[in-house]
Amino acid sequence: MSSNSINRNNRRYWDSTSRDYHDETTISIKDFHYGPLVPGDLTLKLLPESLEGLKCYEFGCGAAQNSFFLSSRGAKCYASDISRKQIDAAHAIAERTGLKVELSCQGMDEPFPVVHGGFDLIHSAYAISFSPYPHRVVAQAAAALKPGGILLFSTGHPLFAGEWLELEGEHGLFLRDYFKLPPDIRYDDEGKEAIRSVFYNFEKLSKWTSRAGLMIERILEPRPVELRNHSARQLMDKVPYYSSAWWEHYERLAHCPVVTILKCRKPA
Ligand SMILES: C[S@@+](CC[C@H](N)C(=O)[O-])C[C@H]1O[C@@H](n2cnc3c(N)ncnc32)[C@H](O)[C@@H]1O
C-alpha cells in the first residue's frame, strides 16, 4: 500500500471514529498520559521539572490533551493531527478550558512548524505507529529540536503484537515470530483494510533515534496503575488515560506491557 493511501486511510478512519473515541475514552488534561491505564508523568517524571516558557510540539495529537496539560503549566504549545475531527475535538477543549495550543491539521510526515531556536520538547502518544515513514518523523523531530532538546514518545509495545490466550486454565502470550511482528489491522464493513498500526522492536527504535543523532536517555515499559477493587470513578481519577475497553484487558496489561516510552535528547 502506498504512503498516500495509508495516510488517506488514517485520516478517514480517525475522522469517522473520533466522536466514539472521545465518548469512550477519558483523557485527563491534569496529567500527561503515555498510554491506556499506565501512570502519567506526575508519576513517571520524564518531563522537564519546569515547563514554564518551553516551546513544545506534539504530532498525532488527537484532541491534544497532553499539549493542554503542558500549556496549563506555562509551556508554549503547538500540536497537529492528520484528522480534522480530532483537531475539532482539540478546539473544543481549548474553548472549554481557555488554554492555548496552536493547532493544525496535518500529517506527521509534513514539515514541522518552525520556531526561533528550535523546540525544547517534541512529544507524541501512541501515534507514530500509524505513520508510513516513522524513521523520517524521528529524523524531522531531531532536526526541529534545539540542542539539548527532548523527543518523548510512546508507541505500542512489541509484545502487544502477540495474542493473549488461555491454555489449560493459564493465560499467557502467544507470539509466533518476534522478528516479524504482525501489525494491528482493522477492517471496514466490506472487509477492506481500514487502518493499520505497526509494532516496532527496540532495535528499530534505537536505529531511528541514533541515525537522527539523538541519545536515548530512558526506555520505559510501564505496568498499569494498581486498579483492582476501584470504582469506575476512582479509576478515571487515578489514570490519565482510561476506557472500559482497555479495562477489559487489565489482566493482560498487568503481565505484559502495552506501551514503550522513549525519551531521547539531542546533544547540546
Ligand atoms: C491512538 S490516537 C492517539 C491520539 C493522542 N495522541 C492521544 O493520546 O489521545 C492516534 C492519532 O494519530 C493520528 N494520526 C494517524 N496517522 C497520522 C499521521 N500520518 N499524521 C498525523 N497524525 C496521525 C490519528 O488521527 C489519531 O488522532
Side-chain angles (χ1 to χ4, degrees):
M1 197 184 276
S2 73
S3 60
N4 279 349
S5 28
I6 292 176
N7 276 343
R8 200 176 321 115
N9 276 3
N10 282 333
R11 185 175 295 114
R12 193 184 297 138
Y13 177 87
W14 285 100
D15 275 349
S16 66
T17 50
S18 174
R19 180 187 281 256
D20 289 347
Y21 178 68
H22 294 294
D23 283 351
E24 288 159 13
T25 315
T26 309
I27 308 180
S28 174
I29 60 166
K30 296 194 179 135
D31 197 348
F32 184 99
H33 69 272
Y34 293 100
L37 308 186
V38 301
D41 200 75
L42 295 180
T43 307
L44 297 180
K45 299 194 184 308
L46 298 171
L47 288 170
E49 237 166 68
S50 170
L51 298 166
E52 186 68 46
L54 294 193
K55 286 179 260 178
C56 306
Y57 177 54
E58 178 176 16
F59 59 85
C61 68
Q65 288 90 344
N66 277 348
S67 292
F68 287 109
F69 167 79
L70 296 171
S71 168
S72 73
R73 304 284 170 116
K76 171 146 185 49
C77 297
Y78 298 74
S80 69
D81 196 281
I82 201 165
S83 154
R84 168 57 56 198
K85 297 282 180 201
Q86 291 284 65
I87 290 297
D88 289 348
H91 279 297
I93 296 180
E95 245 170 62
R96 198 177 71 233
T97 60
L99 291 167
K100 194 165 174 325
V101 172
E102 202 72 50
L103 295 162
S104 61
C105 184
Q106 64 169 73
M108 63 183 91
D109 35 13
E110 291 178 54
F112 284 14
V114 177
V115 290
H116 183 67
F119 286 103
D120 298 281
L121 170 68
I122 295 182
H123 58 105
S124 183
Y126 236 96
I128 200 165
S129 57
F130 296 99
S131 168
Y133 299 119
H135 56 293
R136 289 194 201 158
V137 177
V138 169
Q140 192 174 197
L145 284 172
K146 74 176 196 190
I150 293 169
L151 171 63
L152 179 60
F153 68 95
S154 62
T155 189
H157 192 282
L159 291 183
F160 216 76
E163 278 182 81
W164 191 244
L165 297 179
E166 193 202 318
L167 186 64
E168 294 176 359
E170 288 250 47
H171 281 91
L173 188 74
F174 175 74
L175 181 58
R176 189 181 296 280
D177 186 347
Y178 186 77
F179 300 103
K180 288 187 193 142
L181 296 170
D184 179 4
I185 303 181
R186 310 271 160 95
Y187 297 91
D188 64 18
D189 295 341
E190 290 157 17
K192 278 201 255 144
E193 179 173 327
I195 193 156
R196 72 169 50 204
S197 171
V198 181
F199 296 96
Y200 295 106
N201 61 31
F202 298 99
E203 192 170 310
K204 278 247 165 74
L205 296 174
S206 107
K207 187 159 120 187
W208 303 340
T209 49
S210 66
R211 284 201 175 157
L214 298 170
M215 306 293 293
I216 296 180
E217 270 187 10
R218 299 280 305 276
I219 297 179
L220 274 73
E221 313 170 280
R223 283 170 187 272
V225 177
E226 181 48 67
L227 293 172
R228 281 167 276 226
N229 307 320
H230 285 75
S231 68
R233 182 70 261 156
Q234 286 170 319
L235 299 178
M236 288 182 213
D237 287 344
K238 271 184 159 294
V239 284
Y241 187 114
Y242 174 83
S243 77
S244 51
W246 278 105
W247 176 239
E248 284 169 22
H249 296 290
Y250 186 80
E251 273 311 303
R252 175 180 182 164
L253 268 53
H255 292 94
C256 172
V258 59
V259 76
T260 306
I261 307 173
L262 221 70
K263 178 180 179 183
C264 314
R265 197 178 287 275
K266 181 165 172 167

